[in-house]
Amino acid sequence: MNSTCYIAGLGTSVPEKKLSNFDFEKIMDTSNEWIVSRTGIKTRHVLAEGQNISDIAYEASLKAIVDAKIDKSEITHILVATCSPQKLSPSLACILAQNLGLSSTSGLQTISTHNPSLVCFDFNAACSGFIYGLEIARAFLALHSNSTILLVTAEGLSRRLNFQDRTTSILFGDGAGAVILRNHGDYLYKVHDVSLGSDGDYCDLIQIGGGTEFEAKVGDVVDESFFLTMQGREVFKSAVRGMAQESLKLLEKNSLTVNDIDLFITHQANLRIIEAVGERLSISQDKVFTNLEKYGNTSASSILLAMEEAREQGKLKKGAKTLLTAFGSGLTWGSALLS
Ligand code: COA
C-alpha cells in the first residue's frame, strides 16, 4: 500500500486579542514571575467576543490553500482536530466547507469516481490532534490516491477556561493551523512515518466539560465541571514520559538516532516539559524549537504554530529531518518524522 504523504501547504491564524501575564495579575492571585518561571509563557491570544474558531480556522485554511498553490475545489477531505469544537454538531469541518464555499458537487469535478464526494469530519485527540491527523490523512491517501486533504487544527480553549482557577487558566491560548496533504505534485515536506498511542486509564487527568454528561435544562447555571480541569503534576510527568518514549520508538523503527534529527518540535505546553523531554532524548537544545512564550498551550494547533514560525526563521527545511511529538488529554500521544 502506498503511504506517501506530502505537506504541500501550511497556514496558521491566531485571534488578535492578547492576554499577558500582567492581565492575569489583575484578575487573580498570580504573578508574571511565577507564570514565566513555571511555564515559560508570557502571553497568549484569545478569541474576542463574537469571534469563533471557524474564523481563525478559515483564515489558516485559506493561507494553506494559497501556500500549496491549489484551487480550493481540489480539496476532497476536510479533517479538523479539535477538543474545543464550535458546536457539538455539526462538525467544524462541515462549517468550514460551507465557509470555504465547497460542496460535494464541487469536489466531483476533479476527483476520481472512487472518491466522489467531499468528506468532512472532526476528531478529538486533544493536544495530539495534529499528529493523529497526519496518520488519518496517510490512511485516506493510501485508500484514495488522488485525495487532496485539508487537515485543520482549531482550538478555542479560552471559552472553556475557569478564570477562577489560577493553575489552569494561565496555560492555554487559542489558535488554528492548516496543512494541505497529498501524495503527488510539489511539496514542502514529506511525512515519513507516524507513531501514535493512547491510554484511557488516565482519562481523568485533563477534562473539559459541556458534553452530554452535563444534564442541562434551559436556565441552568454551569459549575466548575463545565470548564477545563487538570491534575497538573501528573500530567507533567506523563507528558515528559509519553513524548520521549514515542519519539525514541519512532526513531528506532526508522533506524535513526537522535543525532540524525535536525529539528525537534514538541507540543508547546510548558517550557519545563519541553526541556525535560529534550534532556531525556539527549538532544542538543539548539535543535529544539519553542514559541510557547507568545501563544501559551494552543492544544492541537501548537505544533503547526511552531512549524510556521520555524519555517519563517529558516529552521524548518525541506529535506532536513524534523521530529514532531505531542501529548494530551485522553491520554493521547504521538510522534511524526518529516523531511
Ligand atoms: N500563580 C501563582 N501560584 C500558583 C499558580 C499561579 N498561576 N498556580 C498554582 N500556584 C500555586 C499553587 O496554588 C501551589 O501553592 P501551594 O504550594 O501554596 O499550595 C503552588 O503554586 C504549587 O502548585 P503546583 O500545582 O504544585 O505547581 P507546579 O510546579 O506543578 O506547576 C503547573 C503547576 C500547572 C504549571 C504544572 O503542574 C504543569 O505545567 N503541568 C502540566 C500542565 C500542562 O502542560 N498541561 C497540558 C498538557 S497537554
Side-chain angles (χ1 to χ4, degrees), residues 24 28-31 34-35 38-39 126-128 165-172 206 228 230-237 239 267-270 272-273 297 299 327-329:
F24 278 91
M28 60 180 64
D29 180 16
T30 189
S31 67
W34 193 96
I35 300 172
R38 298 296 176 109
T39 72
C127 304
S128 312
D165 176 2
R166 63 180 182 170
T167 60
T168 56
S169 58
I170 50 110
L171 296 173
F172 297 91
I206 315 175
L228 186 148
M230 186 177 63
Q231 296 173 41
R233 286 201 169 182
E234 285 312 308
V235 171
F236 191 109
K237 285 184 266 179
H267 169 45
Q268 304 287 297
N270 179 319
R272 290 190 300 146
I273 293 178
N297 178 347
S299 191
F327 181 91
S329 165

Side-chain angles (χ1 to χ4, degrees), residues 202-208 228-231 235 328-331:
Y202 297 94
C203 59
D204 288 348
L205 291 188
I206 315 175
Q207 300 190 48
I208 307 170
L228 186 148
T229 54
M230 186 177 63
Q231 296 173 41
V235 171
S329 165
L331 297 173

Side-chain angles (χ1 to χ4, degrees), residues 40-300:
I41 299 164
K42 292 183 178 162
T43 186
R44 63 292 279 151
H45 292 249
V46 293
L47 293 169
E49 216 178 304
Q51 197 176 23
N52 269 310
I53 54 168
S54 54
D55 300 324
I56 52 174
Y58 175 73
E59 204 173 295
S61 301
L62 285 186
K63 286 184 188 169
I65 290 165
V66 170
D67 196 38
K69 300 184 187 67
I70 62 160
D71 189 274
K72 62 182 183 180
S73 65
E74 292 175 55
I75 292 168
T76 55
H77 300 68
I78 303 179
L79 317 178
V80 178
T82 182
C83 64
S84 51
Q86 190 154 318
K87 298 174 188 289
L88 286 181
S89 192
S91 66
L92 179 60
C94 282
I95 297 171
L96 254 186
Q98 184 187 45
N99 293 350
L100 287 167
L102 298 176
S103 69
S104 52
T105 47
S106 67
L108 267 176
Q109 293 158 12
T110 52
I111 60 180
S112 81
T113 50
H114 298 295
N115 187 15
S117 58
L118 185 67
V119 173
C120 301
F121 66 94
D122 292 0
F123 60 96
N124 180 352
C127 304
S128 312
F130 177 61
I131 309 289
Y132 269 64
L134 289 178
E135 186 74 329
I136 298 168
R138 275 169 22 115
F140 272 122
L141 285 166
L143 289 166
H144 307 286
S145 152
N146 288 327
S147 301
T148 295
I149 299 175
L150 172 63
L151 169 63
V152 178
T153 64
E155 300 284 16
L157 279 170
S158 67
R159 294 275 161 84
R160 282 294 175 278
L161 293 177
N162 174 359
F163 286 92
Q164 293 174 3
D165 176 2
R166 63 180 182 170
T167 60
T168 56
S169 58
I170 50 110
L171 296 173
F172 297 91
D174 302 336
V179 284
I180 299 291
L181 300 166
R182 297 200 293 186
N183 61 9
H184 57 278
D186 292 341
Y187 67 92
L188 302 172
Y189 316 106
K190 182 174 181 182
V191 182
H192 270 284
D193 204 0
V194 177
S195 186
L196 306 175
S198 311
D199 190 342
D201 279 353
Y202 297 94
C203 59
D204 288 348
L205 291 188
I206 315 175
Q207 300 190 48
I208 307 170
T212 53
E213 185 181 62
F214 180 57
E215 297 177 28
K217 57 184 187 307
V218 175
D220 277 357
V221 174
V222 297
D223 64 15
E224 288 91 347
S225 67
F226 194 70
F227 299 97
L228 186 148
T229 54
M230 186 177 63
Q231 296 173 41
R233 286 201 169 182
E234 285 312 308
V235 171
F236 191 109
K237 285 184 266 179
S238 316
V240 174
R241 218 174 24 241
M243 289 196 280
Q245 280 175 6
E246 203 61 32
S247 297
L248 289 173
K249 195 168 117 189
L250 186 65
L251 289 177
E252 197 179 327
K253 187 178 159 215
N254 285 276
S255 307
L256 295 170
T257 71
V258 169
N259 292 335
D260 296 311
I261 297 304
D262 299 300
L263 183 67
F264 186 43
I265 300 182
T266 77
H267 169 45
Q268 304 287 297
N270 179 319
L271 195 56
R272 290 190 300 146
I273 293 178
I274 298 172
E275 286 169 354
V277 175
E279 272 167 34
R280 278 203 179 204
L281 295 184
S282 303
I283 192 162
S284 102
Q285 280 301 323
D286 61 328
K287 291 182 177 178
V288 182
F289 187 85
T290 63
N291 67 351
L292 85 168
E293 67 171 53
K294 287 190 274 187
Y295 302 111
N297 178 347
T298 55
S299 191

